[in-house]
């Protein structure tokens, strides 16, 4: 560790509304070092890096970056341009390339003035070629980016950062989109780059690559730095435990005997275009009085599972049973009819219609109900009374039931959805990321309502990235990885953490 | 830096004030080209007002102009509420006119109280049919309805030319490309003796009333708004999105078809290829100016019709080009779009670097 320091992040904090994304996180980085930033989704990794790159302005904290001579200089916060000039390059998870320009043009974009482009092209190409030779990052420079593979596009992004003389390179989940072979090549290239003195921070939640390719590991959880360890001293168990934590907030739950099956999936298969939207022969049984938690890193098939159960997508194979009835048509009304309550993952996108009133959103799932309509006309008075009752029972706060739903806070939007779902006394509830982005109070309310439904006799399927939440609420835990569901042997954090990362237990 | 952020609930004052201010601003801006044309601006506006309010004839002419605009404005309103961009009202209008001529020129011999409803229904059905194709392509294959409805306008117009020089041509028309006249029992009655304003205006007002009630008080209107505002959430909540879009498309097309019926059976008495000076397209401006409110459509149609009729009078009296009317209409659309934006969003000065 005799290498000089190149970057200090000092006590960086950032809140979004009532959610603390980063709580006084400090990180150091040395020259030529590969630092892995590890954590579950929503742990605050990307927020931290976005502050480093100037996309977000931190609420407090400061950043120092070594200049070309190695002296530490404070970085102007909140200015991507300043970060670029200080030699920080960032490769986002979602590439920011212009598809109909060539790879070379994309690399030059932003570096050269538009008018002097043509003259410097040859020199520029020479410089890029030199970087490619040195690092082994090969990309066809004269092809349009739209024609390149994902791996090539990523190399173009990295080349772009290096061309801009980055001394610190931030890679946000660089292997998420790569095949294992491409990922290995990438890390070889990174190795070559660090020999040149480049320092790398890479964000990941894959334990194996973190152990194989980093020198130091920093673990974030719930926005806090919870661990830092030299990679040589770490093994999978240690990091998995750091990632998922050991404290279980106790939520009082009664012991209840599981009743009759309310939902059964039998080798349900969805052939999606990606892992995110695929499901391989999933078997799942949920009984009355039972909460089953699905743990997993997002993008491993949870979306496909939820879409089928919500009636938004028909599976390619397998069966779905609700109680004694086999579901043959997969549409939202069929699922509602079958007594499934659905709490969607993206509450703003799928849960409410922001431009319509709170009262209207509360009745949107029961427009056929004679309480809501009479011969095709809305019973306005009854709808308002109904909304008043529900917003009192579920404590929906905001500018009023006739105000547009978009004016409610995230927590109150979720309460609105809860009110709508639980009012129908569903026998089965799909709760997909029900507390994501909510503050403690609202999250506790969601948990309480779910357990209440369990006591009443409903079965609950809880999909969440928050392992604490899953362990606190679930009677049984299943892990989803790469579109496959498997039962976790017991509620053992370290084992579940390993299964989430796709490692054999 | 200046940041744009959504306002909290736009106040009622804004939603009403913006269109009115936009309309006035557009009129005001028209003074610039008027001045360039060398006209006395005060006198020009005076002539315009006279052209609308100066006599019973002027006023009824304005209402005659407003009639098809109410229909096409409603057509755009219903479709746009569902975020279905029907740009094909012009074509649907002509389809309605064609249907009126097909059933109204002697095919059916019936008293007026039978024949007029039949003609109206035929026109509405034809307009709806004209929108059914693009709506099906959109809901089934995701084809962009802006492109399909817009292009269909030209196809329909050429088809109309073919019909008017062929099967629908008036044998006594001395070779002109025009249809046989509508039989007497099929003509929409006049509202004021010796003036051109006809019962189509009443039908248009009734249609606006029905559209208002449907949109704000019916389950159908609820679904339409839900699909328009957030189709994903509507689908998740169990609303049949495709079906709702299809319904909106058919109603929209039917309303545009009725505009054509009014022009043929109420105003001209026969069909030519020039019964509409772009009513279908102007209907879009009418609807936008009205903030997609059916009652607002009536008011904004009257405003736009006043501009057209007033500008005609002004150009005759002062020798200024009557294209000025088009200019004012275009300006008011721009003003209302900008105004609508400022009603929904505000500009906020931010500290440097804050995001």
């Amino acid at each position: 560790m005799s290498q000089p320091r190149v970057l200090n992040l000092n006590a960086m904090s950032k809140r979004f509304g009532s959610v603390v994304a980063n709580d006084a996180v400090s990180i150091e980085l040395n020259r030529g070092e590969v630092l892995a930033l590890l954590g579950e989704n929503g742990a605050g990794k990307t927020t931290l890096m976005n502050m480093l790159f100037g996309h977000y302005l931190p609420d407090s904290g400061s950043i120092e970056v070594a200049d070309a001579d190695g002296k530490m200089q404070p970085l102007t916060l909140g200015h991507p341009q300043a970060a670029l000039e200080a030699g920080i390059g960032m490769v986002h998870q979602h590439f920011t390339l212009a598809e109909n320009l060539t790879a070379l043009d994309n690399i030059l974009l932003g570096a050269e003035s538009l008018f002097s482009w043509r003259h410097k092209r040859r020199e520029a190409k020479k410089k890029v070629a030199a970087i490619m030779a040195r690092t082994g990052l090969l990309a066809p420079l004269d092809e349009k980016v739209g024609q390149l593979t994902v791996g090539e596009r990523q190399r173009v992004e990295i080349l772009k950062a290096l061309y801009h003389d980055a001394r610190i390179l931030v890679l946000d989940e660089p292997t998420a989109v790569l095949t294992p072979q491409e990922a290995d090549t990438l890390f070889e290239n990174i190795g070559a780059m660090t020999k040149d003195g480049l320092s790398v921070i890479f964000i990941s939640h894959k334990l194996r690559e973190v152990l194989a390719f980093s020198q130091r590991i920093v673990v974030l959880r719930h926005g806090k730095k919870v661990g830092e360890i030299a990679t040589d001293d770490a093994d999978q168990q240690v990091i998995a435990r750091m990632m998922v934590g050991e404290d279980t907030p106790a939520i009082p739950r009664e012991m209840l005997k599981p009743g009759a099956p309310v939902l059964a999936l039998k080798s349900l298969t969805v052939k999606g275009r990606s892992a995110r939207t695929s499901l391989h022969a999933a078997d799942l049984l949920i009984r009355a009085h039972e909460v089953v938690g699905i743990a997993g890193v997002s993008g491993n098939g949870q979306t496909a599972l939820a879409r089928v159960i919500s009636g938004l997508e028909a599976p390619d194979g397998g069966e779905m049973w609700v109680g004694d009835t086999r579901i043959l048509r997969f549409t939202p009304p069929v699922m509602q009819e079958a007594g499934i309550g659905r709490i969607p993952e993206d509450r703003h996108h799928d849960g409410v219609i922001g431009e319509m009133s709170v009262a209207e959103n509360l009745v949107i799932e029961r427009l056929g109900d004679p309480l809501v309509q009479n011969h095709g006309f809305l019973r306005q008075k009854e709808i308002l009374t109904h909304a008043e009752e529900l917003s009192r029972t579920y404590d929906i706060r905001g500018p009023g039931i006739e105000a547009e739903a978009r004016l409610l806070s995230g927590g109150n939007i979720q309460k609105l959805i809860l009110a709508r779902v639980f009012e129908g006394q569903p026998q089965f509830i799909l709760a997909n990321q029900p507390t994501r982005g909510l503050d403690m109070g609202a999250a506790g309310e969601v948990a309480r309502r779910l357990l209440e439904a369990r006591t009443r006799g409903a079965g609950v399927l809880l999909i969440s990235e928050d392992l604490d939440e899953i362990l606190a609420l679930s009677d049984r835990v299943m892990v989803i990885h790469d579109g496959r569901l498997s039962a976790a042997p017991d509620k053992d954090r370290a084992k579940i953490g390993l299964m989430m990362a796709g490692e054999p237990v | 830096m200046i940041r744009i952020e959504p306002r909290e609930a736009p106040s009622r004052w804004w939603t009403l004030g913006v269109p009115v201010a936009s309309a006035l601003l557009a009129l005001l801006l028209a003074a610039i080209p008027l001045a360039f044309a060398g006209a006395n601006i005060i006198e020009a506006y005076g002539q315009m007002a006279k052209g609308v309010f100066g006599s019973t004839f002027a006023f009824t002419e304005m209402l005659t102009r407003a009639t098809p605009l109410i229909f096409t404005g409603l057509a755009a309103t219903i479709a746009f509420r569902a975020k279905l961009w029907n740009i094909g009202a012009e074509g649907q209008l002509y389809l309605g006119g064609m249907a009126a001529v097909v059933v109204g020129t002697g095919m059916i011999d019936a008293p007026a109280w039978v024949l007029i409803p039949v003609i109206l229904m035929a026109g509405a059905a034809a307009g709806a049919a004209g929108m059914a194709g693009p709506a099906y392509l959109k809901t089934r294959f995701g084809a962009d309805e802006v492109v399909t409805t817009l292009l269909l306008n030209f196809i329909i117009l050429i088809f109309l030319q073919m019909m008017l020089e062929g099967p629908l041509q008036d044998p006594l028309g001395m070779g002109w490309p025009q249809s046989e006249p509508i039989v007497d029992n099929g003509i929409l009655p006049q509202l004021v003796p010796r003036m051109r304003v006809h019962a189509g205006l009443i039908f248009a007002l009734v249609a606006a009333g029905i559209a208002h009630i449907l949109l704000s008080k019916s389950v159908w209107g609820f679904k339409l708004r839900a699909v328009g505002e957030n189709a994903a959430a509507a689908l998740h909540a169990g609303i049949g999105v495709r079906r709702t879009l299809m319904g909106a498309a058919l109603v929209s097309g039917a309303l545009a078809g009725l505009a054509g019926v009014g022009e043929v059976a109420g105003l001209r008495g026969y069909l030519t290829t020039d019964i509409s000076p772009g009513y279908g397209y102007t209907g879009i401006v009418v609807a936008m100016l009205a903030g997609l409110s059916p009652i607002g459509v009536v008011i904004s149609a009257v405003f736009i019709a006043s501009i057209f009729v007033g500008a005609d009078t002004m150009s005759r009296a002062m020798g200024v080009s009557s294209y000025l009317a088009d200019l004012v209409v275009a300006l008011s659309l721009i003003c209302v779009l900008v105004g609508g934006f400022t009603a929904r969003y505000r500009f906020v000065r931010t500290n440097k670097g804050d995001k």
Side-chain angles (χ1 to χ4, degrees):
Chain A
M1 287 291 129
S2 55
Q3 289 284 5
R5 184 63 47 85
V6 291
L7 175 70
N8 282 330
L9 295 178
N10 304 321
M12 307 289 288
S13 294
K14 178 80 187 168
R15 288 171 153 272
F16 294 106
S18 56
V19 179
V20 181
N22 277 156
D23 188 0
V25 178
S26 298
I27 285 178
E28 303 88 42
L29 184 67
N30 297 322
R31 189 177 148 88
E33 188 180 31
V34 178
L35 175 74
L37 197 54
L38 194 66
E40 298 180 292
N41 285 75
K45 299 164 298 195
T46 302
T47 304
L48 186 64
M49 289 303 109
N50 276 331
M51 287 196 287
L52 170 61
F53 198 62
H55 285 320
Y56 295 154
L57 191 66
D59 297 331
S60 64
S62 65
I63 300 176
E64 294 162 299
V65 189
D67 61 17
D69 304 325
K71 279 211 196 80
M72 297 302 278
Q73 307 282 359
L75 178 73
T76 316
L77 299 174
H79 275 274
Q81 196 58 40
L84 276 174
E85 279 161 17
I88 300 169
M90 183 154 179
V91 176
H92 293 272
Q93 200 173 348
H94 306 285
F95 302 144
T96 53
L97 297 170
E99 298 212 348
N100 47 6
L101 293 183
T102 65
L104 184 63
D105 286 339
N106 266 289
I107 291 169
L108 302 191
L109 207 61
E112 317 285 343
S113 136
L114 280 175
F115 300 102
S116 57
W117 252 26
R118 295 290 154 193
H119 306 287
K120 295 192 181 167
R121 258 185 101 79
R122 195 170 298 163
E123 286 167 52
K125 199 167 176 179
K126 224 183 268 171
K127 182 174 171 187
V128 176
I131 299 173
M132 292 207 298
R134 211 162 61 227
T135 59
L137 288 163
L138 298 177
L141 291 181
D142 296 320
E143 295 251 353
K144 294 218 166 120
V145 163
Q147 258 122 51
L148 302 189
T149 66
V150 178
E152 285 170 332
R153 287 182 204 206
Q154 189 176 53
R155 291 200 281 277
V156 172
E157 283 270 17
I158 299 176
L159 284 170
K160 182 173 175 179
L162 297 180
Y163 182 84
H164 289 234
D165 297 318
R167 294 187 292 277
I168 298 169
L169 186 63
V170 178
L171 302 169
D172 189 357
E173 303 213 11
T175 59
V177 290
L178 301 183
T179 64
Q181 292 77 13
E182 282 177 322
D184 288 344
T185 317
L186 170 69
F187 284 111
E188 277 167 36
N189 299 335
I190 290 176
M193 290 185 269
T194 53
K195 288 209 181 70
D196 275 5
L198 185 83
S199 309
V200 175
I201 299 179
F202 80 93
I203 297 178
S204 179
H205 45 241
K206 296 186 184 165
L207 304 187
R208 190 175 7 201
E209 66 189 35
V210 164
L211 283 168
F213 299 107
S214 71
Q215 278 129 45
R216 203 151 48 85
I217 299 169
V218 166
V219 181
L220 295 186
R221 181 154 50 92
H222 297 324
K224 288 199 180 93
K225 181 165 134 184
V226 292
E228 179 167 359
I229 190 168
T231 308
D232 292 339
D233 303 335
D235 62 22
Q236 294 201 345
Q237 265 79 13
V238 173
I239 329 179
R241 199 167 303 130
M242 275 188 189
M243 244 173 99
V244 296
E246 294 186 273
D247 49 327
T248 311
I251 295 181
R253 40 204 298 276
E254 325 162 40
M255 293 303 291
L256 290 170
K257 235 181 110 177
V262 291
L263 179 95
L265 303 181
K266 295 179 183 166
S267 52
L268 197 77
T269 298
V270 178
K271 292 179 191 143
R273 266 185 242 153
S274 61
R276 187 178 183 74
T277 52
S278 300
L279 208 57
H280 302 292
D283 287 306
L284 183 65
L285 182 73
I286 297 171
R287 298 167 192 281
H289 295 301
E290 195 177 39
V291 176
V292 174
I294 304 274
V297 174
S298 81
N300 272 294
Q302 290 96 328
T303 308
L305 181 63
R307 281 178 62 85
V308 169
I309 298 176
S310 303
L312 295 173
E313 188 172 347
D316 295 297
E319 298 174 11
M320 172 171 163
W321 293 74
V322 178
D324 299 329
T325 326
R326 180 168 174 196
I327 301 287
L328 294 169
R329 285 182 59 239
F330 290 79
T331 64
V334 168
M335 300 305 170
Q336 287 163 350
E337 197 71 21
I340 299 182
R342 302 153 306 139
I343 302 174
E345 173 177 15
D346 185 337
R347 64 185 78 97
H348 297 278
H349 186 257
D350 296 321
V352 293
I353 294 176
E355 316 290 322
M356 292 176 81
S357 75
V358 172
E360 286 175 317
N361 273 287
L362 280 168
V363 295
I364 194 167
E365 289 198 354
R366 44 187 297 192
L367 291 174
D369 194 326
L371 224 103
V372 173
Q373 59 121 350
N374 185 10
H375 298 293
F377 285 90
L378 299 165
R379 301 176 68 177
Q380 311 273 13
K381 217 194 276 170
E382 283 79 1
I383 290 173
L384 289 181
T385 324
H386 169 260
E388 258 162 35
E389 275 168 30
L390 282 185
S391 60
R392 213 174 307 123
T393 316
Y394 288 83
D395 191 29
I396 303 170
R397 291 183 207 183
I401 52 170
E402 288 182 81
E404 293 181 1
R406 69 188 172 89
L407 298 172
L408 299 184
S409 68
N412 281 299
I413 285 183
Q414 193 70 323
K415 284 187 206 162
L416 188 164
I417 295 169
L418 288 181
R420 196 168 73 196
V421 167
F422 287 111
E423 180 205 16
Q425 304 248 324
Q427 58 163 325
F428 169 72
I429 295 157
L430 166 71
N432 192 359
Q433 311 292 356
T435 62
R436 181 191 277 168
L438 299 188
D439 59 32
M440 294 279 285
E445 174 71 12
V446 172
R448 200 172 65 73
R449 293 282 175 190
L450 287 176
L451 288 178
E452 213 171 81
R454 167 182 176 267
T455 308
R456 172 172 60 77
V460 178
L461 180 66
L462 171 66
I463 302 179
S464 176
E465 283 156 22
D466 185 344
L467 195 50
D468 287 338
E469 172 176 284
I470 287 201
L471 290 174
L473 296 179
S474 309
D475 297 284
R476 282 190 293 129
V477 180
M478 311 267 296
V479 176
I480 192 164
H481 180 262
D482 201 20
R484 283 167 225 281
L485 267 181
S486 43
D490 40 41
K491 285 163 86 174
D492 177 331
R493 270 166 192 284
K495 278 189 191 158
I496 292 173
L498 285 175
M499 287 174 74
M500 282 164 64
E503 304 298 334
V505 183
Chain B
M1 263 202 294
I2 290 178
R3 188 166 45 127
I4 296 167
E5 65 175 33
R7 284 178 195 277
E8 302 256 309
S11 63
R12 203 155 284 232
W13 197 92
W14 265 107
T15 33
L16 281 177
V18 163
V20 173
S22 308
L24 291 177
L25 187 64
L27 266 178
L28 219 61
L29 286 173
I32 298 169
L34 266 179
F36 273 105
N40 179 331
I41 292 167
I42 306 286
E43 197 194 334
Y45 282 123
Q47 286 290 347
M48 248 171 124
K50 203 172 137 199
V52 181
F53 303 106
S55 63
T56 315
F57 173 73
F59 192 69
T60 55
E61 272 304 291
M62 183 274 287
L63 291 178
T64 311
R65 275 289 186 106
T67 303
L69 288 177
I70 296 174
F71 276 123
T72 55
L74 290 174
T77 296
I78 295 287
F80 288 10
R81 274 292 186 97
K83 295 258 157 61
L84 182 77
W85 308 113
N86 176 11
I87 315 295
E90 186 77 3
Q92 292 142 21
L93 180 152
Y94 277 108
L95 285 177
M98 261 190 272
V101 165
V102 169
V103 299
T105 51
M107 186 177 107
I108 301 165
D109 183 22
W113 63 271
V114 175
L115 189 54
I116 288 176
V118 166
I119 290 176
L120 288 173
M121 278 190 287
M131 189 55 203
Y136 178 75
L137 291 177
K138 178 190 170 70
T139 52
R140 189 74 185 76
F141 304 108
D144 189 333
E145 75 278 15
V146 173
V147 176
T148 51
T149 54
L150 182 65
L151 293 184
L152 209 50
N153 285 341
F154 301 102
I155 296 172
I156 291 169
L157 210 59
I158 291 167
F159 175 69
L160 173 71
Q161 273 168 12
M162 189 185 89
M163 295 304 280
L164 287 182
E165 288 169 12
L168 288 182
Q169 191 170 31
D170 183 0
L172 307 175
M174 305 202 289
W176 291 101
Q178 66 182 49
S179 73
E180 284 183 66
I182 301 272
V183 296
D184 287 348
N185 280 347
I187 296 287
L188 305 182
Q190 290 172 339
L191 295 181
V192 183
R194 292 193 314 280
M195 299 294 161
R196 298 206 300 166
V197 64
H198 53 87
L201 177 65
I202 305 295
F203 298 141
L205 293 176
V206 170
I210 293 175
H212 171 72
I213 292 169
L214 277 181
L215 270 182
S216 59
K217 302 202 188 319
S218 78
V219 174
W220 185 77
F222 184 110
K223 291 181 176 174
L224 191 79
R225 285 181 288 134
V227 168
E229 298 294 356
N230 183 347
L235 183 69
H236 189 273
I239 292 174
V241 172
R242 283 184 184 175
R243 197 191 182 132
T244 307
L245 280 174
M246 205 67 203
L250 295 182
V251 172
S252 171
L255 285 163
L258 286 175
V261 175
E263 292 311 279
V264 170
L267 192 59
R268 308 283 183 107
Y270 53 87
L271 176 63
T272 60
T273 55
D274 61 356
I275 58 168
S276 162
Y279 287 135
Y281 302 107
T282 311
I284 295 170
V285 185
V286 168
M288 296 304 284
L289 195 60
L292 302 187
S293 135
I295 302 299
V297 159
V298 174
I299 299 166
S300 78
V302 165
F303 169 74
I304 302 262
S306 303
I307 301 283
F308 276 124
V309 175
D312 271 350
T313 308
M314 180 187 71
S315 74
R316 273 196 303 275
M318 309 186 58
V320 190
S321 164
S322 67
Y323 283 115
L324 201 76
D326 292 317
L327 188 69
V328 176
V329 171
L331 281 170
S332 49
L333 178 62
I334 293 172
C335 290
V336 82
L337 289 180
V338 173
F341 186 80
T342 56
R344 296 215 33 187
Y345 297 91
R346 60 177 162 215
F347 298 89
V348 185
R349 286 188 73 91
T350 55
N351 297 329
K352 274 187 131 190
D354 194 1
K355 193 181 163 183

